[in-house]
Every structure is written in structure tokens, then in C-alpha cells.
Amino acid sequence: ASGTHQQAIEYGEVLKIGDVDVSYYPAGHVLGSAQILLEYGGERIVVSGDYKRRSDPTCAGFEVVPCDIFITEATFGLPVFVHPETPGEVDKLLRAQVDNPDRTILVGAYALGKCQRLIRHLREKGYDRTIYLHGAMVNLCQLYEDQGVPLGLLEQVYLKTSGKLPGEIVFCPPGQLADRWARRFADPITAFASGWMRVRQRAKQRGVELPLIISDHADWDELTQTIRDVGARQVWVTHGREDALVHWCETQGIAAQALSLVGRDEAGDGG
């Protein structure tokens, strides 16, 4: 955090709140995301928040924090959700661009984290052309740049610059894919980057021509591996498919229960 009355908190720094030691560790979700470790009376509790285990060039990678109680998300807490490797999905996007030089590629992606991550993956593949942005993406991309994450040549799509852009890649919020805003481009191919694209029916319902299975949340294999890695004797599961993950824990001899949080929606556009 920053500001006149705020002080930056580093990963691993311990704060004392009463008798509780509180510290933060990378969650690998988006830039600045953190797990919280609470230590009291010799017991360690980790609140994961949202996390993933995949490589992400825009943020610190997930750090395994051993604990007694692990509170985990379960956005993709079903065995069907095993995400493919990210480079292959990025290759699908680049192939679509090469194969369709007369069409604009519209990529629906969450404005915080997903957009910047995909841009960096494209740059790592050698894509050095200008990438175009819906206005809602501009400020967060600038924030990432200010925090030392280079994104290359970016340009906001204004009315005067839209209308065509054949052969170009344009990032926008997912909700804009079906909006009249999308119709200003050259015979657009609609792509949507989300773990939910693993479900073909969801892609079809949204009219997505190019589903990209790229998630900022742990898939089933990552969830179960993380539970093994932290070595907790108890697991509390929230934010998603609690029942399946609770059952898996019980088959592994780990005490588990669902922890329902008010206001958490399992199927937002941010998957």
C-alpha cells in the first residue's frame, strides 16, 4: 500500500496484531496478490485467497507455506478442470491471427491480471506489434508498467482508430464481446481467455469462436497438489466447488469442511 498514512508491506514481513503474527506470501494470482499467514500459540493458519501455480511473467510465483490449517479457494474444484499448458493456448491465438489476416482478433480478458499476463506471454513469443486496448484496460496496463512489468507497444482504441484493424489483436473486457462496440472491427474473431472455456457449452453460449483456456486460478491438479504441499491437518474450502475438494481431502485422511463466504460468486468473468 502507498500514500501519506500508509506503509508498504513486503512479502515475508511480520506484523504483530495483538498476540497474532501476520505475514504475507505470494499467491501467484495477479500482481501484488498474497496469501496471509496467521501464527498464534504455535499454530499456523494460511488463507490462500485466489491463487495459481502456473508460470506468470507479471507477478511473483505462488510460495508454498507449511501450515496446520489451510483455507483454500476452489474456483475450479472439480476433476474436469485440468487446464492445458498456457504456451499452447497462446499459440492458438497467434495461429488464428496469422490464418485470418483480414479479421480482427478480439480477446475478452479480465482487466486486472489476465490482460497484462496475456500481453506478456505474447511478447515472450516474439510478438512485437502494437496491441490495441479497450479504454477500460488502459489504466491497469499503465499500473503494471509503473510497477516494472514491460508490456510493449500499446494503443487505446478510439472511435477514430476503430472501424477496421484487420489482422490486429484487441483486448477488451469480456462483456464487450457481445456488445455493439465489437461490431466496429473487421469481421471480428471473438476469443475469451478463461478457465471456464474448458466447458464447451459455456463458450458456445457466449458466442466465443476462439476459446482460450487460460486461468488465473488453480485447476484441480494444482489445488490437490497444493494441499499436499502445505501439509495441513485441516483444510477449509471456499469460493467454488467445495464439496468435491472436501471429499478428496477426506479420501486422503485430511479433515476438511466447506467455509461459505457471503458475496463470493463462483463463475465471474475473472476465471
Side-chain angles (χ1 to χ4, degrees):
S2 62
T4 305
H5 302 292
Q6 297 175 322
Q7 180 178 350
I9 299 173
E10 301 295 332
Y11 288 130
E13 179 182 350
V14 178
L15 307 176
K16 293 286 289 188
I17 301 179
D19 295 328
V20 180
D21 289 344
V22 181
S23 51
Y24 298 83
Y25 295 87
H29 177 57
V30 298
L31 184 66
S33 62
Q35 308 170 76
I36 302 174
L37 170 63
L38 307 174
E39 298 179 273
Y40 174 76
E43 186 163 73
R44 294 163 58 91
I45 301 175
V46 169
V47 184
S48 75
D50 293 335
Y51 68 96
K52 70 176 181 293
R53 304 292 298 267
R54 301 295 173 98
S55 174
D56 184 337
T58 68
C59 69
F62 180 91
E63 185 172 332
V64 172
V65 182
C67 56
D68 302 294
I69 298 175
F70 184 54
I71 303 175
T72 179
E73 68 139 307
T75 303
F76 294 109
L78 288 174
V80 68
F81 288 114
V82 176
H83 306 321
E85 294 300 319
T86 304
E89 296 300 288
V90 177
D91 285 342
K92 282 168 52 177
L93 173 58
L94 290 171
R95 282 197 300 271
Q97 185 202 33
V98 170
D99 293 344
N100 298 276
D102 298 325
R103 303 180 69 185
T104 306
I105 312 291
L106 290 184
V107 182
Y110 194 52
L112 173 59
K114 185 72 65 64
C115 172
Q116 297 79 23
R117 178 187 173 197
L118 268 173
I119 290 172
R120 278 301 309 155
H121 281 309
L122 286 167
R123 298 310 189 196
E124 290 181 344
K125 290 281 188 179
Y127 187 82
D128 58 4
R129 290 165 55 176
T130 297
I131 292 175
Y132 294 86
L133 303 175
H134 182 280
M137 324 296 266
V138 173
N139 286 345
L140 283 169
C141 285
Q142 185 60 57
L143 173 64
Y144 269 65
E145 289 266 9
D146 293 344
Q147 294 298 315
V149 180
L151 300 177
L153 294 173
L154 304 176
E155 183 175 326
Q156 182 174 348
V157 174
Y158 295 99
L159 286 173
K160 63 180 181 180
T161 58
S162 62
K164 290 288 184 181
L165 295 180
E168 303 294 349
I169 296 175
V170 180
F171 280 84
C172 65
Q176 295 296 320
L177 293 176
D179 189 81
R180 60 185 299 180
W181 177 86
R183 299 181 206 141
R184 65 185 63 179
F185 299 102
D187 189 17
I189 294 174
T190 58
F192 184 14
S194 171
W196 297 110
M197 291 298 95
R198 179 68 177 78
V199 182
R200 292 181 181 178
Q201 188 60 28
R202 288 202 181 211
K204 184 177 180 181
Q205 287 172 349
R206 298 190 69 126
V208 174
E209 185 174 347
L210 180 63
L212 302 172
I213 309 171
I214 300 175
S215 178
D216 287 328
H217 296 266
D219 68 5
W220 175 260
D221 287 349
E222 293 170 317
L223 289 168
T224 55
Q225 185 61 51
T226 301
I227 291 169
R228 292 189 186 99
D229 289 345
V230 300
R233 69 172 188 273
Q234 290 186 50
V235 173
W236 299 351
V237 184
T238 188
H239 189 191
R241 308 288 183 163
E242 293 97 341
D243 291 349
L245 197 54
V246 166
H247 176 72
W248 179 88
C249 288
E250 291 170 344
T251 66
Q252 305 299 306
I254 302 168
Q257 62 180 316
L259 177 65
S260 298
L261 295 183
V262 175
R264 296 307 297 264
D265 174 29
E266 67 151 65
D269 284 336

